[in-house]
Amino acid sequence: MGTLVVEDRVVKIDTFPMGIDFKRFYNASSSIEVQEEIVELKKTLADFKVILSIDRLDYTKGIINRLQGYEIFLKNNPQWHGKVILVLVVVPSRIGVEHYQQMKRQIDELIGKINGRFGSVPWTPVLYQYRFLPFNPLVALYSISNVALITPLRDGMNLIAKEYISSRTDNKTGVLILSEIAGASKELREAMIINPNNREEIAGALKEALEMSKQEQARCIQAMQARLKRYDVVKWANEFIQSILSIREEQSRFETKLLGGYKEKLVLDFKKANHRLIFLDYDGTLVPFVGYPQMAKPGENILKIIKHLSEDEKNEIVLISGRDRNTLLSWFGMFNVGLVAEHGVWLKGKNEDWRMIKPLMNDWKTQILPILEMYVDRLPGSFVEEKEFSIVWHYRMPDPELGSILAKELIDYLVNFTANIDVQVLQGSKVVEIRNAGVNKGVAGLHWVSKNDFDFISAIGDDWTDEDFFKALPETAYSIRVGMSQSHARFNLHNYIEVIELLEQLVEKDGE
């Protein structure tokens, strides 16, 4: 629900559309200072419908596009000649930068072209100001403008659109033409939303806006004003701060579950116990995730720790993994440990042969493999790992955005496709796995728990496949989830490095 675990902390992701000081703009429209400005403006503009465009000089604002759209509007609608004026205010930006000066020259030339082509002695189609406007003259312009033309080609929020709506107190009329690319378009849905790259669409929107009935204008303005009033700059700031505080509380909840201060007690309980059972996941728990499974071979330090722990007769060590049994045997077969392969399909006790947890079929794999291979073709860098009783589609190496999209698509498709097949479709860390239903680490773990009267049980894992396992363990067990995420485990560790440090402490205590 909008939270991510990034390394060792929880991060909240949300949208916070910036509000404005609604009351300031709304009340300013009736102030003496603004009314005086309005009187002066009406001396020049009272006989015209006013279209307002105000932006700083920038490539992202689409000023040239909207001028060209206005030119098309005048060309297609001669009935509006002498009746409408575009007030274009361009605020200086990056003065002295050659590319911006070149853009200003293009704007100047286009305005001259439009005024020369359509203008007359009593009528100038474009009134152009290249300057910064103080607050009162700005609100006055908002107040007298019949249409606001806000069409950036790329924008984060665009508060000008909100300021214009907030200033419309006279009969609550006015029309906002807003770029679909501006962030404000997601809030101001009653505005005329257009594609700023389509000049014909800009021209059409201008005609429609100028001819819109006052009743429709008032309906739209009032709806947008009510929204801006509720979600003003104060509400925006409070919501932002509250979100920070709430995620801090969530981080604190995770911190209380960190093994931290309980580590000494765990080590002490381990030292005092006579029959210890320790379950260890592999990928993400003992080693970090890597691009390809075969690259995660255990290093000398891991092998040394497993060797020391397994040599103590008091310890029952069980490595429980999603990997196939041959891989686990080649890596850890030389030690006196228990092994669980394919998330619980295959079990191997000390000095025992492999056996299946229950009779399973794998004839369904022929139906699933072609589907996964098709997704391998669609996502370069992904690949299929086939095991005896499961198939895994890996997408750790490809483009992460496309991988995430296709993984969701694949899961939806497989869930429907396997509705009448006795399998599970599960998503892990950059993998989609299809395996037999009714098989999980929890069932496999209980096999060992029931074998002896253990006075110390610990289980360490890092993902959703370990959750069944954590739930199945006794309440007194030291269940540990690697990573900062919600879990049935009693404790958390940040990462695999802390797991290794903990195991090294147990090895040291074991040798005392």
mmCIF file with all atom_site columns, all heavy atoms in Angstrom, residues 242-256:
data_model
loop_
_atom_site.group_PDB
_atom_site.id
_atom_site.type_symbol
_atom_site.label_atom_id
_atom_site.label_alt_id
_atom_site.label_comp_id
_atom_site.label_asym_id
_atom_site.label_entity_id
_atom_site.label_seq_id
_atom_site.pdbx_PDB_ins_code
_atom_site.Cartn_x
_atom_site.Cartn_y
_atom_site.Cartn_z
_atom_site.occupancy
_atom_site.B_iso_or_equiv
_atom_site.pdbx_formal_charge
_atom_site.auth_seq_id
_atom_site.auth_comp_id
_atom_site.auth_asym_id
_atom_site.auth_atom_id
_atom_site.pdbx_PDB_model_num
ATOM 1   N N   . GLN A 1 242 ? 2.106  14.661 8.187  1.00 0.00 ? 242 GLN A N   1
ATOM 2   C CA  . GLN A 1 242 ? 1.482  13.518 8.839  1.00 0.00 ? 242 GLN A CA  1
ATOM 3   C C   . GLN A 1 242 ? 1.934  12.203 8.198  1.00 0.00 ? 242 GLN A C   1
ATOM 4   O O   . GLN A 1 242 ? 2.108  11.190 8.893  1.00 0.00 ? 242 GLN A O   1
ATOM 5   C CB  . GLN A 1 242 ? -0.047 13.632 8.771  1.00 0.00 ? 242 GLN A CB  1
ATOM 6   C CG  . GLN A 1 242 ? -0.629 14.667 9.715  1.00 0.00 ? 242 GLN A CG  1
ATOM 7   C CD  . GLN A 1 242 ? -0.249 14.408 11.169 1.00 0.00 ? 242 GLN A CD  1
ATOM 8   O OE1 . GLN A 1 242 ? -0.300 13.281 11.655 1.00 0.00 ? 242 GLN A OE1 1
ATOM 9   N NE2 . GLN A 1 242 ? 0.142  15.464 11.870 1.00 0.00 ? 242 GLN A NE2 1
ATOM 10  N N   . SER A 1 243 ? 2.116  12.212 6.878  1.00 0.00 ? 243 SER A N   1
ATOM 11  C CA  . SER A 1 243 ? 2.599  11.005 6.207  1.00 0.00 ? 243 SER A CA  1
ATOM 12  C C   . SER A 1 243 ? 4.011  10.657 6.647  1.00 0.00 ? 243 SER A C   1
ATOM 13  O O   . SER A 1 243 ? 4.353  9.489  6.834  1.00 0.00 ? 243 SER A O   1
ATOM 14  C CB  . SER A 1 243 ? 2.548  11.186 4.680  1.00 0.00 ? 243 SER A CB  1
ATOM 15  O OG  . SER A 1 243 ? 1.223  11.291 4.241  1.00 0.00 ? 243 SER A OG  1
ATOM 16  N N   . ILE A 1 244 ? 4.835  11.684 6.816  1.00 0.00 ? 244 ILE A N   1
ATOM 17  C CA  . ILE A 1 244 ? 6.197  11.453 7.302  1.00 0.00 ? 244 ILE A CA  1
ATOM 18  C C   . ILE A 1 244 ? 6.163  10.865 8.709  1.00 0.00 ? 244 ILE A C   1
ATOM 19  O O   . ILE A 1 244 ? 6.882  9.916  9.030  1.00 0.00 ? 244 ILE A O   1
ATOM 20  C CB  . ILE A 1 244 ? 7.003  12.764 7.279  1.00 0.00 ? 244 ILE A CB  1
ATOM 21  C CG1 . ILE A 1 244 ? 7.241  13.207 5.834  1.00 0.00 ? 244 ILE A CG1 1
ATOM 22  C CG2 . ILE A 1 244 ? 8.332  12.599 8.016  1.00 0.00 ? 244 ILE A CG2 1
ATOM 23  C CD1 . ILE A 1 244 ? 7.937  14.551 5.721  1.00 0.00 ? 244 ILE A CD1 1
ATOM 24  N N   . LEU A 1 245 ? 5.292  11.443 9.559  1.00 0.00 ? 245 LEU A N   1
ATOM 25  C CA  . LEU A 1 245 ? 5.210  10.968 10.945 1.00 0.00 ? 245 LEU A CA  1
ATOM 26  C C   . LEU A 1 245 ? 4.674  9.540  11.003 1.00 0.00 ? 245 LEU A C   1
ATOM 27  O O   . LEU A 1 245 ? 5.144  8.723  11.797 1.00 0.00 ? 245 LEU A O   1
ATOM 28  C CB  . LEU A 1 245 ? 4.310  11.904 11.763 1.00 0.00 ? 245 LEU A CB  1
ATOM 29  C CG  . LEU A 1 245 ? 4.839  13.323 11.967 1.00 0.00 ? 245 LEU A CG  1
ATOM 30  C CD1 . LEU A 1 245 ? 3.817  14.173 12.709 1.00 0.00 ? 245 LEU A CD1 1
ATOM 31  C CD2 . LEU A 1 245 ? 6.170  13.306 12.720 1.00 0.00 ? 245 LEU A CD2 1
ATOM 32  N N   . SER A 1 246 ? 3.679  9.239  10.136 1.00 0.00 ? 246 SER A N   1
ATOM 33  C CA  . SER A 1 246 ? 3.090  7.893  10.170 1.00 0.00 ? 246 SER A CA  1
ATOM 34  C C   . SER A 1 246 ? 4.084  6.843  9.694  1.00 0.00 ? 246 SER A C   1
ATOM 35  O O   . SER A 1 246 ? 4.137  5.738  10.247 1.00 0.00 ? 246 SER A O   1
ATOM 36  C CB  . SER A 1 246 ? 1.822  7.838  9.310  1.00 0.00 ? 246 SER A CB  1
ATOM 37  O OG  . SER A 1 246 ? 2.125  8.027  7.942  1.00 0.00 ? 246 SER A OG  1
ATOM 38  N N   . ILE A 1 247 ? 4.893  7.190  8.691  1.00 0.00 ? 247 ILE A N   1
ATOM 39  C CA  . ILE A 1 247 ? 5.878  6.210  8.215  1.00 0.00 ? 247 ILE A CA  1
ATOM 40  C C   . ILE A 1 247 ? 6.998  6.075  9.243  1.00 0.00 ? 247 ILE A C   1
ATOM 41  O O   . ILE A 1 247 ? 7.588  4.993  9.396  1.00 0.00 ? 247 ILE A O   1
ATOM 42  C CB  . ILE A 1 247 ? 6.447  6.602  6.831  1.00 0.00 ? 247 ILE A CB  1
ATOM 43  C CG1 . ILE A 1 247 ? 7.110  5.381  6.163  1.00 0.00 ? 247 ILE A CG1 1
ATOM 44  C CG2 . ILE A 1 247 ? 7.433  7.735  6.915  1.00 0.00 ? 247 ILE A CG2 1
ATOM 45  C CD1 . ILE A 1 247 ? 6.168  4.262  5.856  1.00 0.00 ? 247 ILE A CD1 1
ATOM 46  N N   . ARG A 1 248 ? 7.236  7.151  10.008 1.00 0.00 ? 248 ARG A N   1
ATOM 47  C CA  . ARG A 1 248 ? 8.227  7.040  11.082 1.00 0.00 ? 248 ARG A CA  1
ATOM 48  C C   . ARG A 1 248 ? 7.717  6.088  12.161 1.00 0.00 ? 248 ARG A C   1
ATOM 49  O O   . ARG A 1 248 ? 8.502  5.311  12.719 1.00 0.00 ? 248 ARG A O   1
ATOM 50  C CB  . ARG A 1 248 ? 8.497  8.428  11.680 1.00 0.00 ? 248 ARG A CB  1
ATOM 51  C CG  . ARG A 1 248 ? 9.643  8.417  12.672 1.00 0.00 ? 248 ARG A CG  1
ATOM 52  C CD  . ARG A 1 248 ? 10.963 8.122  11.991 1.00 0.00 ? 248 ARG A CD  1
ATOM 53  N NE  . ARG A 1 248 ? 12.018 7.833  12.941 1.00 0.00 ? 248 ARG A NE  1
ATOM 54  C CZ  . ARG A 1 248 ? 12.351 6.628  13.377 1.00 0.00 ? 248 ARG A CZ  1
ATOM 55  N NH1 . ARG A 1 248 ? 11.702 5.564  12.926 1.00 0.00 ? 248 ARG A NH1 1
ATOM 56  N NH2 . ARG A 1 248 ? 13.327 6.456  14.223 1.00 0.00 ? 248 ARG A NH2 1
ATOM 57  N N   . GLU A 1 249 ? 6.413  6.133  12.431 1.00 0.00 ? 249 GLU A N   1
ATOM 58  C CA  . GLU A 1 249 ? 5.832  5.200  13.398 1.00 0.00 ? 249 GLU A CA  1
ATOM 59  C C   . GLU A 1 249 ? 5.974  3.765  12.888 1.00 0.00 ? 249 GLU A C   1
ATOM 60  O O   . GLU A 1 249 ? 6.260  2.846  13.663 1.00 0.00 ? 249 GLU A O   1
ATOM 61  C CB  . GLU A 1 249 ? 4.357  5.537  13.622 1.00 0.00 ? 249 GLU A CB  1
ATOM 62  C CG  . GLU A 1 249 ? 4.132  6.825  14.401 1.00 0.00 ? 249 GLU A CG  1
ATOM 63  C CD  . GLU A 1 249 ? 2.658  7.159  14.530 1.00 0.00 ? 249 GLU A CD  1
ATOM 64  O OE1 . GLU A 1 249 ? 1.829  6.333  14.093 1.00 0.00 ? 249 GLU A OE1 1
ATOM 65  O OE2 . GLU A 1 249 ? 2.334  8.237  15.049 1.00 0.00 ? 249 GLU A OE2 1
ATOM 66  N N   . GLU A 1 250 ? 5.747  3.586  11.586 1.00 0.00 ? 250 GLU A N   1
ATOM 67  C CA  . GLU A 1 250 ? 5.880  2.241  11.017 1.00 0.00 ? 250 GLU A CA  1
ATOM 68  C C   . GLU A 1 250 ? 7.328  1.772  11.098 1.00 0.00 ? 250 GLU A C   1
ATOM 69  O O   . GLU A 1 250 ? 7.603  0.611  11.389 1.00 0.00 ? 250 GLU A O   1
ATOM 70  C CB  . GLU A 1 250 ? 5.396  2.242  9.567  1.00 0.00 ? 250 GLU A CB  1
ATOM 71  C CG  . GLU A 1 250 ? 5.264  0.852  8.972  1.00 0.00 ? 250 GLU A CG  1
ATOM 72  C CD  . GLU A 1 250 ? 4.517  0.854  7.654  1.00 0.00 ? 250 GLU A CD  1
ATOM 73  O OE1 . GLU A 1 250 ? 3.836  1.836  7.339  1.00 0.00 ? 250 GLU A OE1 1
ATOM 74  O OE2 . GLU A 1 250 ? 4.626  -0.159 6.940  1.00 0.00 ? 250 GLU A OE2 1
ATOM 75  N N   . GLN A 1 251 ? 8.252  2.687  10.835 1.00 0.00 ? 251 GLN A N   1
ATOM 76  C CA  . GLN A 1 251 ? 9.670  2.339  10.964 1.00 0.00 ? 251 GLN A CA  1
ATOM 77  C C   . GLN A 1 251 ? 9.998  1.946  12.405 1.00 0.00 ? 251 GLN A C   1
ATOM 78  O O   . GLN A 1 251 ? 10.759 1.009  12.641 1.00 0.00 ? 251 GLN A O   1
ATOM 79  C CB  . GLN A 1 251 ? 10.533 3.519  10.529 1.00 0.00 ? 251 GLN A CB  1
ATOM 80  C CG  . GLN A 1 251 ? 10.489 3.793  9.032  1.00 0.00 ? 251 GLN A CG  1
ATOM 81  C CD  . GLN A 1 251 ? 11.194 5.074  8.653  1.00 0.00 ? 251 GLN A CD  1
ATOM 82  O OE1 . GLN A 1 251 ? 11.419 5.943  9.498  1.00 0.00 ? 251 GLN A OE1 1
ATOM 83  N NE2 . GLN A 1 251 ? 11.535 5.218  7.389  1.00 0.00 ? 251 GLN A NE2 1
ATOM 84  N N   . SER A 1 252 ? 9.380  2.656  13.358 1.00 0.00 ? 252 SER A N   1
ATOM 85  C CA  . SER A 1 252 ? 9.615  2.346  14.772 1.00 0.00 ? 252 SER A CA  1
ATOM 86  C C   . SER A 1 252 ? 9.098  0.960  15.120 1.00 0.00 ? 252 SER A C   1
ATOM 87  O O   . SER A 1 252 ? 9.716  0.231  15.903 1.00 0.00 ? 252 SER A O   1
ATOM 88  C CB  . SER A 1 252 ? 8.943  3.394  15.660 1.00 0.00 ? 252 SER A CB  1
ATOM 89  O OG  . SER A 1 252 ? 9.504  4.668  15.437 1.00 0.00 ? 252 SER A OG  1
ATOM 90  N N   . ARG A 1 253 ? 7.940  0.598  14.521 1.00 0.00 ? 253 ARG A N   1
ATOM 91  C CA  . ARG A 1 253 ? 7.391  -0.748 14.780 1.00 0.00 ? 253 ARG A CA  1
ATOM 92  C C   . ARG A 1 253 ? 8.350  -1.816 14.278 1.00 0.00 ? 253 ARG A C   1
ATOM 93  O O   . ARG A 1 253 ? 8.539  -2.852 14.918 1.00 0.00 ? 253 ARG A O   1
ATOM 94  C CB  . ARG A 1 253 ? 6.023  -0.888 14.113 1.00 0.00 ? 253 ARG A CB  1
ATOM 95  C CG  . ARG A 1 253 ? 4.911  -0.153 14.836 1.00 0.00 ? 253 ARG A CG  1
ATOM 96  C CD  . ARG A 1 253 ? 3.548  -0.636 14.375 1.00 0.00 ? 253 ARG A CD  1
ATOM 97  N NE  . ARG A 1 253 ? 3.298  -0.338 12.984 1.00 0.00 ? 253 ARG A NE  1
ATOM 98  C CZ  . ARG A 1 253 ? 2.753  0.794  12.552 1.00 0.00 ? 253 ARG A CZ  1
ATOM 99  N NH1 . ARG A 1 253 ? 2.423  1.737  13.416 1.00 0.00 ? 253 ARG A NH1 1
ATOM 100 N NH2 . ARG A 1 253 ? 2.542  0.983  11.271 1.00 0.00 ? 253 ARG A NH2 1
ATOM 101 N N   . PHE A 1 254 ? 8.957  -1.563 13.124 1.00 0.00 ? 254 PHE A N   1
ATOM 102 C CA  . PHE A 1 254 ? 9.939  -2.517 12.614 1.00 0.00 ? 254 PHE A CA  1
ATOM 103 C C   . PHE A 1 254 ? 11.172 -2.569 13.513 1.00 0.00 ? 254 PHE A C   1
ATOM 104 O O   . PHE A 1 254 ? 11.740 -3.637 13.748 1.00 0.00 ? 254 PHE A O   1
ATOM 105 C CB  . PHE A 1 254 ? 10.362 -2.146 11.190 1.00 0.00 ? 254 PHE A CB  1
ATOM 106 C CG  . PHE A 1 254 ? 9.393  -2.615 10.139 1.00 0.00 ? 254 PHE A CG  1
ATOM 107 C CD1 . PHE A 1 254 ? 8.720  -1.713 9.345  1.00 0.00 ? 254 PHE A CD1 1
ATOM 108 C CD2 . PHE A 1 254 ? 9.147  -3.962 9.950  1.00 0.00 ? 254 PHE A CD2 1
ATOM 109 C CE1 . PHE A 1 254 ? 7.824  -2.130 8.385  1.00 0.00 ? 254 PHE A CE1 1
ATOM 110 C CE2 . PHE A 1 254 ? 8.256  -4.401 8.988  1.00 0.00 ? 254 PHE A CE2 1
ATOM 111 C CZ  . PHE A 1 254 ? 7.594  -3.480 8.206  1.00 0.00 ? 254 PHE A CZ  1
ATOM 112 N N   . GLU A 1 255 ? 11.571 -1.385 13.983 1.00 0.00 ? 255 GLU A N   1
ATOM 113 C CA  . GLU A 1 255 ? 12.772 -1.328 14.831 1.00 0.00 ? 255 GLU A CA  1
ATOM 114 C C   . GLU A 1 255 ? 12.570 -2.099 16.129 1.00 0.00 ? 255 GLU A C   1
ATOM 115 O O   . GLU A 1 255 ? 13.507 -2.693 16.664 1.00 0.00 ? 255 GLU A O   1
ATOM 116 C CB  . GLU A 1 255 ? 13.128 0.129  15.107 1.00 0.00 ? 255 GLU A CB  1
ATOM 117 C CG  . GLU A 1 255 ? 13.718 0.843  13.893 1.00 0.00 ? 255 GLU A CG  1
ATOM 118 C CD  . GLU A 1 255 ? 13.818 2.335  14.072 1.00 0.00 ? 255 GLU A CD  1
ATOM 119 O OE1 . GLU A 1 255 ? 13.537 2.816  15.196 1.00 0.00 ? 255 GLU A OE1 1
ATOM 120 O OE2 . GLU A 1 255 ? 14.183 3.028  13.104 1.00 0.00 ? 255 GLU A OE2 1
ATOM 121 N N   . THR A 1 256 ? 11.322 -2.086 16.658 1.00 0.00 ? 256 THR A N   1
ATOM 122 C CA  . THR A 1 256 ? 11.057 -2.839 17.889 1.00 0.00 ? 256 THR A CA  1
ATOM 123 C C   . THR A 1 256 ? 11.148 -4.339 17.653 1.00 0.00 ? 256 THR A C   1
ATOM 124 O O   . THR A 1 256 ? 11.357 -5.111 18.591 1.00 0.00 ? 256 THR A O   1
ATOM 125 C CB  . THR A 1 256 ? 9.668  -2.505 18.448 1.00 0.00 ? 256 THR A CB  1
ATOM 126 O OG1 . THR A 1 256 ? 8.668  -2.830 17.470 1.00 0.00 ? 256 THR A OG1 1
ATOM 127 C CG2 . THR A 1 256 ? 9.565  -1.039 18.811 1.00 0.00 ? 256 THR A CG2 1
#
